[in-house]
Amino acid sequence: MFMTHLECTACGLRHEWNQLQNLCTACSKPLFPRYDLEAIGRVLTRDALATREKSLWRYREVLPLAQDAEPVTFGEGGTPLLRADRFGADVGVSELWIKDESQNPTQSFKARGMTTAVSMAKQLGATKLAVPTAGNAGGALAAYAARAGLEAHIFMPRDTPRANQIECRELGAHVTLIDGLITDCGAEIAKRKAAEGWFDMSTLKEPYRVEGKKTLGYELAEQMNWQLPDVVLYPTGGGTGLIGMWKAFEEMETLGWIGSKRPRMFSIQPTGCAPIVRAFQAGETSAPEFPDAHTVASGLRVPKAVGDFIMLRILRESGGGALTVDDAEMIRITREVGRREGIFVAPEGAACFAALRSLVADGTISRDERVVIFNTGSGIKYLDCYED
Ligand SMILES: *Cc1c(COP(=O)(O)O)cnc(C)c1O
Ligand SMILES: [Zn+2]
């Protein structure tokens, strides 16, 4: 294995990877795995990837987990990057792509984070995994924990979409419904985990979900023939995918696989829960908790994110931005995308299509830019939003 240690994203303190870790022991910020990229560069070339399996474990050298350990996997990742010419023509961009993450196991990109995090938690001896979730992370943890033979303890808001609740239950997880938001679910786990023997799998509060999610960046580069797009629109909750992609870009540049050009990264959030947009527009370096968070895009109902300072840095460094979309517009545009492109997108993905229309209309994105939208989940999980 090429992972060498864990490093704090804020204070830089080094931590060992060979025991279960959550946040930095000195400053309580997220930890990033670090690798011996020089050694990886000697054994792995871009061309060698072409012959490998389709799943995200094709990037094994830049992922955690000992080489002789079996990952806990359903074949996640390797999702298609699809042209969206009809929708693109409608809004006036000539090259629009959809990275369709609804084709992952459990129908969302949460599978990417859970394959690496559950594989590592199992290897490091955890037996009971707990997660606060707005919906899809719960379903993914339930599936990967069952596959690993571990217990899953899932805490979700009482008004989480029915599909997520039923999915977790039928996959054998212990589900607790909380009268509150994902932050309240996280607080409940924090309070009880020591006594219960749970390992906290909250995103960015353990070091390995971000590693699975960073493969979005590796796949994007590989599928675009190592030329990153000009613009990425990302529906942002905890921000793990955005942060992970940026980490992947840095690693790939060190490996000599890409140059220094980066896409302009845009965070899209619902009007009813937009802590990152608000902080970005106010010029802040961290995002205070967003009051009275509400939205049908449950994956984006994250009023406070532990990786806020990293996201804000990325949005600014990349020359990107942040934009809100209201719920009614997300729901309306879902059918437009469906009719034009044949994909039943999740409301989170739909938000990016609506945002693209505004960003092109006001000239922030120009028609000759190559744009990638992440459809992070499937509309099928949100049928309650579409009742007629
Ligand atoms: C969790 C989730 C998001 C937000 O992802 P982050 O990386 O935490 O910002 C977006 N869309 C869907 C469908 C989700 O389940
Ligand atoms: Zn620290």
Side-chain angles (χ1 to χ4, degrees):
M1 185 180 53
F2 295 93
M3 179 170 62
T4 51
H5 63 283
L6 305 173
E7 183 184 270
C8 177
T9 51
C11 76
L13 185 67
R14 193 183 168 108
H15 294 64
E16 298 306 316
W17 66 263
N18 56 6
Q19 63 187 60
L20 290 167
Q21 298 273 13
N22 286 111
L23 293 168
C24 173
T25 52
C27 75
S28 299
K29 296 295 183 193
L31 299 176
F32 271 180
R34 294 297 181 195
Y35 300 81
D36 184 349
L37 291 169
E38 210 171 291
I40 295 171
R42 284 195 296 271
V43 299
L44 181 62
T45 62
R46 296 186 315 191
D47 294 342
L49 290 169
T51 59
R52 293 192 177 180
E53 64 177 315
K54 178 166 150 282
S55 99
L56 62 78
W57 290 98
R58 71 198 271 108
Y59 307 108
R60 181 99 189 204
E61 287 85 347
V62 291
L63 293 174
L65 199 67
Q67 297 297 305
D68 58 352
E70 272 293 308
V72 181
T73 179
F74 294 96
E76 54 291 314
T79 58
L81 182 67
L82 303 166
R83 282 295 289 250
D85 289 339
R86 269 182 295 273
F87 190 90
D90 273 2
V91 297
V93 286
S94 52
E95 199 176 329
L96 176 62
W97 299 84
I98 306 174
K99 181 74 170 151
D100 188 17
E101 290 294 298
S102 69
Q103 298 193 36
N104 276 298
T106 68
Q107 295 80 51
S108 91
F109 75 155
K110 292 297 192 300
R112 290 185 188 266
M114 288 304 178
T115 189
T116 43
V118 173
S119 295
M120 284 302 287
K122 183 180 166 111
Q123 194 189 15
L124 296 173
T127 56
K128 301 176 180 182
L129 310 180
V131 81
T133 176
N136 286 316
L141 179 66
Y144 285 86
R147 192 141 191 95
L150 306 177
E151 282 181 23
H153 297 266
I154 292 167
F155 290 76
M156 50 171 66
R158 192 172 297 283
D159 56 357
T160 300
R162 287 259 298 151
N164 297 124
Q165 301 185 24
I166 295 166
E167 176 182 38
C168 292
R169 190 183 71 207
E170 297 305 316
L171 291 171
H174 303 266
V175 180
T176 306
L177 300 178
I178 298 280
D179 294 307
L181 296 171
I182 187 171
T183 35
D184 303 300
C185 296
E188 182 72 9
I189 292 173
K191 197 168 69 190
R192 292 174 55 190
K193 65 184 180 186
E196 302 278 0
W198 296 335
F199 180 61
D200 187 345
M201 299 284 280
S202 303
T203 199
L204 291 170
K205 291 187 184 169
E206 66 76 56
Y208 302 114
R209 282 175 65 179
V210 70
E211 293 302 285
K213 281 223 181 146
K214 87 180 177 189
T215 60
L216 289 170
Y218 280 90
E219 285 182 19
L220 200 57
E222 195 181 356
Q223 289 174 317
M224 299 192 104
N225 204 17
W226 310 102
Q227 302 293 321
L228 295 179
D230 300 306
V231 174
V232 164
L233 300 187
Y234 185 83
T236 305
T240 314
L242 183 91
I243 293 168
M245 265 190 276
W246 199 255
K247 183 173 190 280
F249 298 156
E250 287 175 351
E251 290 173 0
M252 285 188 285
E253 188 179 353
T254 306
L255 286 166
W257 291 4
I258 61 168
S260 59
K261 177 184 175 275
R262 297 286 183 274
R264 293 196 290 143
M265 309 292 280
F266 287 84
S267 266
I268 313 304
Q269 296 197 304
T271 315
C273 183
I276 300 303
V277 179
R278 194 176 270 187
F280 180 84
Q281 288 170 350
E284 312 268 6
T285 53
S286 67
E289 181 157 345
F290 195 92
D292 305 320
H294 60 90
T295 172
V296 296
S298 45
L300 309 184
R301 199 167 54 156
V302 181
K304 174 78 193 154
V306 66
D308 56 354
F309 67 104
I310 313 174
M311 278 187 269
L312 288 162
R313 197 165 62 209
I314 293 168
L315 299 180
R316 294 193 177 110
E317 235 178 85
S318 74
L323 196 77
T324 57
V325 172
D326 69 45
D327 281 17
E329 181 58 10
M330 285 177 217
I331 295 304
R332 201 195 57 73
I333 210 161
T334 299
R335 192 176 302 179
E336 218 175 294
V337 177
R339 190 158 56 89
R340 292 271 184 270
E341 303 297 341
I343 300 171
F344 184 12
V345 295
E348 294 87 344
C352 294
F353 288 89
L356 175 64
R357 173 164 284 159
S358 320
L359 291 167
V360 173
D362 74 11
T364 308
I365 295 175
S366 67
R367 69 164 291 111
D368 57 350
E369 289 190 287
R370 301 163 81 211
V371 180
V372 173
I373 282 177
F374 284 84
N375 176 43
T376 45
S378 170
I380 288 288
K381 292 268 178 95
Y382 302 77
L383 294 180
D384 340 8
C385 304
Y386 296 97
E387 270 158 24
D388 38 30

